[in-house]
Amino acid sequence: MTVKLSSSSLAGLPPKVAGPNYDRSALKAGIVHFGVGNFHRSHQAVYLDDLFGQGIGHDWALVGAGVFDGEKIGRGKLEEQDWLTTVVEQDEGHMSARVTGAMIDFLMPGDAGAIIDRLADPAIRIVSLTITEGGYFIDPASGVFNPTHPDIVADAQPGATPKTVFGIILAGLVRRREDGIVPFTVMSCDNIPHNGHVTSDGVIGLARLIDEDLANWVSDKVAFPNAMVDRITPATSDRERKILADDFGLEDNWPVFCEPFRQWVLEDHFTDGRPALEKVGVQFVKDVAPYELMKIRILNGGHATIAYPAGLMDIHFVHEAMQEPLVRGFLDKLEHDEIIPTVPPVPDTVLEDYYQLIEKRFSNPKIGDTVRRLCLDGSNRQPKFIIPTIADRLKAGKGVAGLALESALWCRYCFGTTDSGAVIEPNDPSWDRLKATAKAAKDAPAAWLAMDDIYGDVGRAAAFVEAFAHALNVLWANGTRTTLTRYLASKL
């Protein structure tokens, strides 16, 4: 017999499931969050739930928001259970479930008018985001906001109803400016370098298309703290729903499964107060950059390192990739030879200890994180997680054999078939372009590096061009296993 999750069932949750120990009816909204997906619900929402459980910050509850029609599906699932989420933490020898209650409402995605009204409410003091890399309108090669994107141009037209996150946020700020209300803080919780700066570039860049004075006001008055966020959180499938029902006796439309580890390092820069998140493990620092660079290069770069060889070898789960000696060996060698040496010292952190922790987390057999998820959206992820490391190696006159092989593996993956001949379904917003370019690169490797919006100057650097061409040729001639074997023996 299972219990269906809802407010009315909180008092009778199954014995192994913890629930909120605070009165949800007394919570008041303080944060509007765009992008209510799995990561947000395993991370920011959990920290807030912990805080509320200490009897603190009950005026900082979450209100969900979104701009895409597809987000209505998730909203519907959560509405059926009164915005509650079950979070299941898993690793080897450990599994626990808790119901979190930090969210109290979820505005209809795409309803710009209703969202802007809520943003204009003085009670809302933070607007947070997990909209993934593609939602920031960044030009991949330059890493700078692209004001010529058609969606941004449309939002800048006089009288336009905004359709982008930045357009809606800006409209909310305009209303507050007109009403004499302190502007809210805009807090990115996305896994992108300098996420606060990137967000401010987007909001201010859009404002500049509309009115220079408005852009200057946003620049002067609105806080955009940078943050480093971390918790491996795969997508939810029927597998996770079944585990929750079978092992815990709870039915949840959209549970979240994640690793026990979580980290949030945040700059203490807010316009109108903030929750006391330092009481529940958030590290407030003056400058997030050292932590962020460490994580992006060692963890996210590490994910990219294992993703494509595992994908080409038809490996399904990430922990299975780590059980394959060639993949694990590739990660270890590339990290120690080329990635970790580009990471400057981080306060109170030993980089080797951090790498060992990452290796352990990747190997977690319970998470069910998929190789396909790690392979997703390389056209947005490679310019953030891998290509800057290549640039730093080249600048220092150091070797790039391993990084060139990682790039060649990505190219080979985008050809659209694994080494066994299995078809790889589209796995990138630019899949058609990547597939066509990968086909051209089979005979002319430089064609891949000619994607200037992705590789920029790196794609024209002679040392990298040569190393990439060699790695790709070896891959096509010998396959992934033999190529990795040669690389590990330093015979590539």
Side-chain angles (χ1 to χ4, degrees), residues 184 194 419 489:
F184 45 72
H194 321 300
D419 281 1

Side-chain angles (χ1 to χ4, degrees), residues 90-104:
Q90 285 187 304
D91 65 8
E92 206 160 16
H94 165 81
M95 184 160 69
S96 64
R98 64 187 280 192
V99 173
T100 61
M103 175 178 282
I104 59 170

Side-chain angles (χ1 to χ4, degrees), residues 27 48 50-60 275-277 279-280:
L27 295 178
L48 287 166
D50 283 348
L51 189 67
F52 299 165
Q54 292 187 13
I56 301 168
H58 288 187
D59 56 345
W60 287 104
L277 291 165
K279 295 183 183 297
V280 289

